[in-house]
Amino acid sequence: MNFALAQLPLKLNLRDDSIFDNFFVGDNLQLMTILKNFIVRQSEQFIYCYGESGVGRTHLLQACCHAMSENNQAVFYLPLSHHADFSPEIFDALENLDCVFIDDVDAIVGNRVWEEALFYFYNRARENNVSLLVSANFLPQQLNCLLPDLQSRLAWGLTVAIKNLSDEEKIKTLQMRAQLRGFDLSDEVGRYLIHRYSRNMGNLILVLEKLDQASLAAKRRITIPFIKTLNISLNETC
């Protein structure tokens, strides 16, 4: 049963490139081991990942979702940063799946209706042995939940941090992504990008995608002079 991946609006579908192979691990080796055990259901039933914007929370949740789906597990990816596009009833019957991935859980904190729906789903998930992988910007104890019981539910299981990359590791990540897209990115261009744009890795990857598209259209290599002619803004990529 894999109906879940087709239930959300198209813009909320999984990214095809959100896989383990193109995630630069850095200091997250232990986390990767935990997640790879999770997808074969040999770890904690509930895992809560936290880290600042751009560290790869969404990428890792979607990578796990891809991996479990390929192994014929019934999965569901729910990005709560887009909760305005659906209703709390989306939690109904999710306890019948093998695993549910809840991204950006802090986005619904302070909304009692959503908090209650998530709280009751947590209880049903535990009763039905559903695996849960949840992400947020902060530790569960730092969320200002209206429902104290929800805050305690979010702290069930294992809580793990996703560590940020150094600037050099971000350059290596961009170079890895560039190679996967079929071109080389010099160290000089990599340094220019992380100083010219936000150091948020998600934004940097989107900038790289735009540069690749512009390079192909212009039939030019990606160099600093070429980048300066494009005037790509962060507002276009966020």
Side-chain angles (χ1 to χ4, degrees), residues 182-194:
F183 67 96
D184 292 325
L185 191 78
S186 69
D187 291 344
E188 181 185 27
V189 171
R191 284 191 291 272
Y192 177 82
L193 292 178
I194 67 169

Side-chain angles (χ1 to χ4, degrees), residues 46 119 122-123 126 140-141 145 147-157:
F46 294 164
F119 169 75
Y122 250 75
N123 292 339
R126 187 175 195 178
Q141 298 86 344
C145 295
L147 301 179
D149 286 343
L150 173 60
Q151 198 147 341
S152 69
R153 297 295 186 275
L154 292 171
W156 279 355

Side-chain angles (χ1 to χ4, degrees), residues 88-211:
E89 284 73 29
I90 200 164
F91 288 111
D92 293 352
L94 292 186
E95 66 273 11
N96 297 319
L97 303 177
D98 295 312
C99 184
V100 176
F101 300 86
I102 304 176
D103 207 357
D104 298 314
V105 70
D106 40 320
I108 57 94
V109 168
N111 184 315
R112 181 170 291 274
V113 174
W114 274 97
E115 285 194 18
E116 287 180 351
L118 180 56
F119 169 75
Y120 289 120
F121 168 65
Y122 250 75
N123 292 339
R124 299 194 306 272
R126 187 175 195 178
E127 291 173 2
N128 289 335
N129 199 34
V130 178
S131 295
L132 291 181
L133 180 55
V134 175
S135 91
N137 281 319
F138 309 105
L139 284 161
Q141 298 86 344
Q142 295 174 319
L143 299 176
N144 296 316
C145 295
L146 298 176
L147 301 179
D149 286 343
L150 173 60
Q151 198 147 341
S152 69
R153 297 295 186 275
L154 292 171
W156 279 355
L158 182 64
T159 298
V160 290
I162 304 177
K163 298 176 183 177
N164 208 346
L165 300 175
S166 68
D167 283 355
E168 287 304 311
E169 289 172 331
K170 289 178 181 179
I171 293 171
K172 289 179 182 178
T173 301
L174 291 173
Q175 290 173 328
M176 176 185 68
R177 289 298 191 96
Q179 289 177 351
L180 290 170
R181 298 180 74 91
F183 67 96
D184 292 325
L185 191 78
S186 69
D187 291 344
E188 181 185 27
V189 171
R191 284 191 291 272
Y192 177 82
L193 292 178
I194 67 169
H195 290 295
R196 171 65 177 80
Y197 296 99
S198 162
R199 282 179 165 80
N200 179 302
M201 201 65 237
N203 281 334
L204 287 170
I205 289 171
L206 289 174
V207 169
L208 185 71
E209 291 174 356
K210 284 186 173 287
L211 289 175

Side-chain angles (χ1 to χ4, degrees), residues 5-17:
L5 293 177
Q7 294 301 299
L8 294 178
L10 182 60
K11 69 177 182 178
L12 304 185
N13 284 349
L14 303 180
R15 285 181 60 107
D16 291 338
D17 61 352

